[in-house]
Amino acid sequence: MSNRRSRASVSEEEINELISRLQTLLPSARRRGGSQASTTKLLKETCSYIKSLHREVDDLSDRLSDLMATMDHNSPGAEIIRSLLR
Amino acid sequence: MAAKRTAPPPANPNPNRRRVTSAADDSASAPPSKRMLAFHFLRALSRIHSSTPVPRRTRTIRRAAYSSMARAASPRSAWSRALLRQVRVRRAVRSRRAVLMRRRVSAAPAPPLGASRSSVSAGQTSVAPPVRTPPPRQEGEPARADALRQLIPGGNGMEYCSLLEETADYVRCLRAQVQLMQGLVDLFSGQ
């Protein structure tokens, strides 16, 4: 990776390869038809995907806090977790 | 019960043995080790659970999620380093603020702490850390890259090329974290 930077210019192919790798990560990677989706649209999709993941983390942590509040200290789930971390 | 999850459930009786070996194969674009993630997050969760049962736990859990995600990721990723830096800064600011509050007469319950939590977008710090922000060199990349920069922690100092790599890594880790948390919710709510 460092030799790429020392060339003082990142070639187009490398950027395209990175972008295509990013595209495979997105949930909308199923449609292989327009695999040359425009970069802008891809970046926009990545942004919205990351934002939705953030929202999901918030929502899940909210649910986890509710669940933990109702969890009994002697419940089997807590026992499992405590045994994991020993 | 385990049909929905891709990773083995956290109630696996022997994660400790595999934890050591899976941390060793963190190659360049390897997915984040799920057991490391589970280890850090579960440890943080148990700490939260045994600590003050304040009804303000959601924020703490969310912060723990991002911290454990950053710790489980390979330290070669710039975003994990930036996240951990943010956590340190935030903690320092919070302790300083707590000291200041204690010096005053405790009139209001905790409004300054609420103000410091004004970071609406998850993971971003509202306290202005000394970010160096070199001018982002763009190879003719539109404004979308700036939006991405703001989403990825530490993205402001990155070139476009490394920004793409970091984004991929960040998305993979984030997805693993979401899967882990979803699995935990299922585990807890299934009782």
Side-chain angles (χ1 to χ4, degrees):
Chain A
M1 191 167 93
S2 54
N3 49 6
R4 232 188 294 161
R5 291 231 192 89
S6 67
R7 262 201 338 235
S9 79
V10 185
S11 75
E12 278 296 314
E13 308 141 10
E14 282 154 358
I15 288 190
N16 287 341
E17 179 195 328
L18 286 176
I19 290 192
S20 70
R21 224 190 296 169
L22 202 54
Q23 185 180 15
T24 61
L25 278 179
L26 295 180
S28 61
R30 252 76 90 187
R31 46 175 180 80
R32 296 306 304 170
S35 77
Q36 291 305 324
S38 83
T39 309
T40 313
K41 185 183 287 211
L42 216 49
L43 286 186
K44 181 167 161 188
E45 215 170 313
T46 309
C47 283
S48 61
Y49 185 49
I50 292 183
K51 275 189 233 171
S52 80
L53 282 178
H54 282 172
R55 270 199 306 267
E56 218 169 316
V57 166
D58 289 351
D59 175 53
L60 282 175
S61 55
D62 198 24
R63 282 162 70 180
L64 263 182
S65 77
D66 287 343
L67 282 176
M68 276 175 58
T70 65
M71 190 171 72
D72 192 13
H73 268 281
N74 300 329
S75 80
E79 272 311 306
I80 291 177
I81 292 187
R82 263 182 245 129
S83 67
L84 269 184
L85 302 169
R86 207 135 291 171
Chain B
M1 182 176 76
K4 210 191 299 183
R5 287 192 289 262
T6 56
N12 198 353
N14 302 325
N16 297 328
R17 235 182 290 145
R18 272 180 254 163
R19 172 170 32 111
V20 179
T21 55
S22 65
D25 49 61
D26 259 333
S27 58
S29 60
S33 157
K34 293 213 156 91
R35 284 164 189 86
M36 286 295 294
L37 209 56
F39 171 70
H40 284 292
F41 190 54
L42 286 177
R43 193 167 61 170
L45 267 191
S46 78
R47 205 166 41 210
I48 291 176
H49 185 68
S50 59
S51 76
T52 65
V54 183
R56 228 176 2 193
R57 259 194 213 151
T58 308
R59 266 188 308 234
T60 319
I61 292 185
R62 198 188 68 197
R63 277 204 311 265
Y66 286 111
S67 306
S68 61
M69 195 170 82
R71 283 208 188 92
S74 154
R76 216 180 15 234
S77 319
W79 63 264
S80 61
R81 290 195 298 262
L83 252 188
L84 291 177
R85 239 190 334 254
Q86 278 177 12
V87 166
R88 271 204 304 267
V89 166
R90 202 176 297 152
R91 198 175 302 159
V93 166
R94 198 155 55 115
S95 67
R96 214 178 306 147
R97 251 184 243 253
V99 165
L100 284 180
M101 261 182 51
R102 266 186 246 120
R103 287 213 197 119
R104 299 190 212 129
V105 183
S106 62
L113 282 184
S116 80
R117 294 288 156 263
S118 64
S119 59
V120 178
S121 64
Q124 308 289 337
T125 177
S126 62
V127 186
V131 184
R132 45 243 191 255
T133 59
R137 273 151 294 173
Q138 292 170 351
E139 299 266 332
E141 206 28 59
R144 291 292 163 203
D146 285 340
L148 199 55
R149 276 212 176 85
Q150 284 170 7
L151 281 180
I152 313 280
N156 276 323
M158 282 185 207
E159 298 178 345
Y160 181 54
C161 165
S162 41
L163 184 68
L164 290 181
E165 287 190 40
E166 297 290 327
T167 305
D169 202 33
Y170 187 63
V171 162
R172 267 192 297 254
C173 275
L174 207 49
R175 209 161 46 179
Q177 178 77 32
V178 164
Q179 282 172 2
L180 172 69
M181 290 173 76
Q182 181 73 47
L184 277 179
V185 166
D186 291 343
L187 178 70
F188 281 149
S189 59
Q191 294 177 350

